[in-house]
Amino acid sequence: MIFTPSPMLLKLLYTRGSLRNTPNGVAFSIKNRLDTVRFTRLDYVQINEEHITPEHIALDLGDGDIRPAPDVLSRTPGGLEFLVGHSITFYLTTAALTEGIHGVQVQFAAEPFGDLHVEVEDSIVNQSTNRTRIPRQDADDYSEAAIQERQRFAEQYTEQEFKHLKHYSFDPHMLQGNCEHFVGVAQIPVGLAGPLTVHGEHAQGDFLIPMATTEGTLVASYNRGMQVLNLCGGVKCTVIGDAMQRAPVFVFDDARGARDFSKWVEAEIDAIRQEAESTSRIAKLQYIDTYLATKFAYLRFNYSTGDAAGQNMVGRATFAACSWILENYKGPAIRHFYLESNFATDKKASQINVMRTRGKRVVAEAVIKRDILHQRMRVTPEQLAYHGQVSNVGAFISGANNNGAHSANGITAMFIATGQDVANVSESSAGVLYTEVTKEGDLYMNITIPSLIVATHGGGTGLATQNECLRMLGCVGRGTVNKFAEIVAGVVLAGELSLGAAISSSDWVSSHEQYGRNR
């Protein structure tokens, strides 16, 4: 990856709030939010008007490894590797700073970027020294000693004994990047439903479905719907869209400046795509949607991300693309820039995701035979279709993002079991349910999930029990994410069928009584 970070982006390297006094002077941190580089030269640091040269600076490279800056850089061939996502703390031998706002400048060089200059303001505040802190160990915070220290701390602080929380069956070191301050596990029951017969383009066959839940009747209800679908030949599932977004915003002096900028972006899409895709072998920029409001230009970058959900991947790609934009756009001045404008609606339900897709857009459909529906669910196709019309009105006047019954139930249970980011249920819960009575008198049922955010690689999918559940589904390895999406959609349709029939036939309350929900 080679792009020139603009001054606006270079400000983001500095970790705001890191400025502090030390026994020997002052310290602050910078974090590499661009890409892995080699830190080749440090020219100076300036605090307010004081110019501080490298011989008065030490660098903390992590894990307590603090060395004089000239030694670090002169004795490292080709420069110090500075990994993306990592931080370096600068320790300056200088007078302590007073409380208030101070100017900080850092002049340095990094390959492949060349000379870089960071200039920001930060503040010194009086912080209490008697705050209660959760124990952690810099050297290895996932060691048994570190974990047991936190467990003792939690028991002493709360005056409670934890017998179950502390027991787990995997090496805690595998949690790096997934959970900080690890203290134990939440044991969530996993039930089995199915097998479910899926006729997808990627998922084909019978699948045993792991569902992690504490809600009585949930597994039984989904299992009932799967049995009925199987008796009718299974469920047909199709992935019809795939896009993951990051949505930066550019602020101008007036609306005309925003409009002109949007036209320039449209004309430069090929160059922008090249910059974005230079950060990853996987992320591919499909298109950019532009939305103008007041004097703001919102750009919605849409990517495909392989088997990963991709939020971090597309953030990095969009960061590189926007750096190129900020450096190369010569039109009306860009006054402010934010990498995320809230327009990607990450971890939030939104109408734009229903319309434009976020994650996988996937459809599950089936024809349920009249006799099987009547025998197994005690309802007719006409009853369910009419019930759907009534429910449509209720969903419409309530402003819900789903006109079905409970797709979030099945999605959440599968997300927890398979290591998905459960907060993505916010977007993934959206659904468009459609039913009709066929000319043969059977029930056609279809649900479109417009923003199903799933992964079979990265995140929590590689953790111990989560990976086992994905292996149960045959969804481990390259090229399996669409298979997983189709299975999830089929499960959702089974749940819609089961609960819809239960409400229509008035079995809903009695089922909860039978399985203990109302005890």
Side-chain angles (χ1 to χ4, degrees):
M1 163 188 172
I2 299 177
F3 67 92
T4 303
S6 70
M8 197 176 293
L9 287 185
L10 284 173
K11 288 179 182 292
L12 300 179
L13 291 175
Y14 183 86
T15 302
R16 292 192 181 275
S18 66
L19 187 65
R20 63 191 185 279
N21 288 318
T22 68
N24 298 314
V26 174
F28 64 85
S29 298
I30 64 172
K31 182 176 182 179
N32 186 352
R33 296 175 173 88
L34 300 174
D35 198 3
T36 295
V37 298
R38 302 200 72 84
F39 188 1
T40 57
R41 190 183 76 245
L42 175 61
D43 296 325
Y44 64 86
V45 171
Q46 185 166 318
I47 304 292
N48 299 324
E49 302 302 321
E50 183 179 4
H51 194 82
I52 303 164
T53 53
E55 58 266 26
H56 300 292
I57 302 172
L59 302 179
D60 185 347
L61 307 179
D63 297 329
D65 182 12
I66 303 176
R67 288 181 270 168
D71 292 353
V72 172
L73 299 176
S74 64
R75 298 178 184 178
T76 309
L80 175 70
E81 186 177 45
F82 191 10
L83 299 174
V84 66
H86 286 219
S87 295
I88 294 178
T89 299
F90 289 65
Y91 286 93
L92 316 176
T93 302
T94 184
L97 297 174
T98 59
E99 288 191 36
I101 297 175
H102 301 276
V104 179
Q105 298 182 47
V106 185
Q107 176 74 34
F108 64 104
E111 294 300 331
F113 298 133
D115 290 348
L116 301 175
H117 185 80
V118 176
E119 184 173 355
V120 297
E121 287 185 338
D122 202 356
S123 59
I124 294 283
V125 295
N126 183 23
Q127 295 184 345
S128 172
T129 59
N130 59 357
R131 290 170 49 202
T132 300
R133 294 182 179 273
I134 297 171
R136 69 178 311 276
Q137 295 184 8
D138 290 335
D140 183 0
D141 205 37
Y142 295 89
S143 67
E144 287 301 323
I147 295 165
Q148 290 172 10
E149 184 182 8
R150 276 192 293 274
Q151 292 169 345
R152 289 191 297 271
F153 163 78
E155 290 180 330
Q156 292 168 4
Y157 188 83
T158 63
E159 299 181 349
Q160 300 290 327
E161 181 181 2
F162 304 115
K163 295 181 178 180
H164 304 286
L165 180 70
K166 298 186 290 186
H167 294 283
Y168 46 88
S169 59
F170 53 85
D171 181 357
H173 289 92
M174 72 188 306
L175 296 174
Q176 295 186 54
N178 291 104
C179 181
E180 300 77 36
H181 294 171
F182 175 68
V183 71
V185 295
Q187 299 181 73
I188 301 174
V190 177
L192 292 177
L196 173 65
T197 300
V198 179
H199 304 292
E201 293 177 310
H202 307 275
Q204 298 170 357
D206 297 330
F207 298 93
L208 200 59
I209 308 299
M211 308 188 80
T213 184
T214 58
E215 181 181 354
T217 78
L218 187 148
V219 177
S221 177
Y222 278 85
N223 191 60
R224 182 174 84 135
M226 292 175 198
Q227 290 176 350
V228 171
L229 288 177
N230 290 347
L231 288 171
C232 298
V235 56
K236 182 178 181 180
C237 301
T238 310
V239 176
I240 59 174
D242 179 9
M244 179 50 64
Q245 293 78 27
R246 187 58 61 209
V249 60
F250 296 79
V251 180
F252 296 85
D253 286 329
D254 53 33
R256 193 171 298 170
R259 182 202 63 188
D260 293 347
F261 171 76
S262 70
K263 292 180 178 179
W264 180 86
V265 168
E266 183 179 355
E268 297 293 333
I269 182 63
D270 290 338
I272 295 171
R273 177 178 289 110
Q274 182 177 350
E275 294 295 321
E277 294 181 359
S278 69
T279 65
S280 170
R281 295 181 298 103
I282 306 300
K284 301 299 179 185
L285 178 59
Q286 301 175 28
Y287 56 94
I288 300 174
D289 286 328
T290 302
Y291 300 86
L292 302 178
T294 73
K295 55 182 180 179
F296 309 145
Y298 296 89
L299 304 184
R300 201 166 190 258
F301 284 66
N302 295 268
Y303 298 84
S304 60
T305 57
D307 291 305
Q311 289 100 320
N312 294 333
M313 186 190 304
V314 304
R316 185 180 177 196
T318 306
F319 194 83
C322 290
S323 184
W324 184 89
I325 289 172
L326 290 167
E327 190 67 22
N328 287 275
Y329 181 61
K330 306 305 180 186
I334 298 170
R335 297 304 182 188
H336 299 285
F337 157 76
Y338 304 98
L339 182 60
E340 179 50 60
S341 64
N342 224 9
F343 203 68
T345 64
D346 195 16
K347 312 282 174 73
K348 294 174 282 292
S350 68
Q351 189 60 29
I352 193 169
N353 288 341
V354 173
M355 296 294 294
R356 299 290 288 158
T357 301
R358 180 168 170 83
K360 305 295 184 288
R361 193 178 195 92
V362 57
V363 176
E365 55 193 334
V367 175
I368 299 97
K369 298 295 184 182
R370 171 181 287 272
D371 56 344
I372 293 174
L373 190 62
H374 195 267
Q375 293 166 7
R376 294 299 183 110
M377 299 291 195
R378 292 182 292 281
V379 293
T380 65
E382 289 80 8
Q383 282 178 280
L384 270 183
Y386 181 72
H387 181 196
Q389 293 182 49
V390 176
S391 296
N392 284 344
V393 176
F396 173 75
I397 62 176
S398 70
N401 71 336
N402 191 322
N403 68 327
H406 68 147
S407 65
N409 261 336
I411 292 171
T412 304
M414 292 194 71
F415 273 23
I416 295 173
T418 60
Q420 309 300 309
D421 186 338
V422 183
N424 286 331
V425 172
S426 300
E427 300 107 300
S428 301
S429 65
V432 182
L433 183 68
Y434 174 75
T435 57
E436 67 178 34
V437 179
T438 70
K439 61 182 181 180
E440 293 81 15
D442 300 321
L443 180 72
Y444 170 78
M445 194 171 192
N446 176 311
I447 189 161
T448 299
I449 307 174
S451 46
L452 180 65
I453 302 176
V454 290
T456 55
H457 177 77
T461 62
L463 299 182
T465 58
Q466 291 82 355
N467 192 256
E468 288 183 348
C469 288
L470 281 172
R471 285 196 278 120
M472 187 184 300
L473 295 165
C475 289
V476 172
R478 186 178 297 275
T480 55
V481 69
N482 286 335
K483 177 181 180 181
F484 182 59
E486 289 178 345
I487 294 171
V488 172
V491 170
V492 167
L493 189 69
E496 294 300 305
L497 172 61
S498 182
L499 182 54
I503 296 173
S504 292
S505 64
S506 299
D507 282 340
W508 188 24
V509 174
S510 63
S511 295
H512 279 285
E513 291 287 354
Q514 179 181 351
Y515 289 96
R517 179 67 170 167
N518 291 335
R519 287 186 303 206

